[in-house]
């Protein structure tokens, strides 16, 4: 039996949608932002994917610390939309649908919707971990993109 739920967040940054999309769709750069990621390797794209990756996370369950490995595919990577799907054993899927929109004053609005599906016995733990990690990523994303869009003077 599988369980599924969705959470979302919005970030604003001073950059272009293309700059935001470039950072968000290149998972090799997610180690800068995602608190669980310890390693990202780009691999040949799977059928239907624009890019594919193998990712290692470091997780904790009480006093236990362990690493997991999962596979992620970038299915759509446009200046206004990114869709990624990550799959991990057993039967766990994370779908990330990101929409980017230019706003006045040089801002970009980034709306992210994350849907996690996992076996019911693992679901609560997996959902809490995914939500905490992505919300931490959201707090780092604005600053990372502001640096990208406005490099410091030399």
């Amino acid at each position: 039996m599988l369980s599924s739920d969705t959470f979302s967040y919005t970030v604003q940054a001073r950059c272009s949608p293309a700059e935001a999309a470039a950072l968000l769709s290149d998972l090799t750069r997610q180690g800068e932002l995602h608190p669980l990621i310890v390693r990202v390797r780009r691999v040949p794209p799977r059928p239907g994917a624009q890019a594919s990756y193998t990712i290692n996370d470091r997780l904790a369950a009480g006093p236990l610390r362990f690493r997991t490995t999962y596979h992620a595919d970038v299915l759509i990577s446009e200046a206004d939309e990114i869709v990624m799907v990550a799959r991990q054993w057993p039967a766990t899927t994370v779908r990330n649908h990101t929409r980017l929109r230019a706003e006045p004053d040089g801002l970009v609005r980034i709306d992210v919707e994350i849907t996690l599906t996992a076996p019911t016995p693992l679901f609560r733990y997996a959902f809490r971990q995914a939500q905490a990690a992505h919300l931490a990523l959201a707090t780092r994303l604005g600053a990372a993109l502001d640096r990208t869009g406005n490099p410091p003077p030399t």
Side-chain angles (χ1 to χ4, degrees):
M1 179 68 111
L2 295 176
S3 295
S4 185
D5 201 356
T6 299
F7 63 92
S8 60
Y9 59 89
T10 298
V11 175
Q12 288 185 308
R14 191 163 305 284
C15 66
S16 71
E19 289 169 315
L23 174 62
L24 292 168
S25 64
D26 181 359
L27 296 184
T28 61
R29 299 177 65 192
Q30 294 299 302
E32 305 167 27
L33 305 171
H34 194 293
L36 300 178
I37 291 177
V38 292
R39 184 174 183 205
V40 179
R41 291 181 316 276
R42 192 165 186 156
V43 297
R46 292 167 44 100
Q50 293 182 7
S52 296
Y53 302 86
T54 298
I55 301 171
N56 299 103
D57 279 359
R58 183 177 25 242
L59 297 169
L64 299 174
R65 306 281 183 247
F66 58 97
R67 286 188 180 207
T68 63
T69 300
Y70 59 96
H71 304 283
D73 296 318
V74 177
L75 304 177
I76 299 171
S77 179
E78 305 291 338
D80 64 345
E81 180 180 38
I82 301 164
V83 176
M84 294 181 275
V85 175
R87 289 168 309 287
Q88 181 179 6
W89 184 87
T92 300
T93 303
V94 177
R95 180 178 170 80
N96 178 322
H97 189 180
T98 301
R99 292 182 178 91
L100 304 108
R101 185 177 72 224
E103 293 198 327
D105 300 326
L107 291 174
V108 64
R109 178 185 170 113
I110 304 163
D111 293 307
V112 180
E113 181 178 275
I114 305 287
T115 301
L116 183 130
T117 303
T120 300
L122 300 174
F123 179 77
R124 286 182 49 187
Y125 172 78
F127 190 82
R128 280 194 316 266
Q129 290 292 314
Q131 189 172 39
H134 282 271
L135 294 178
L137 179 150
T139 64
R140 298 171 180 171
L141 181 58
L145 287 169
D146 284 342
R147 286 193 308 270
T148 301
N150 295 309
T154 55

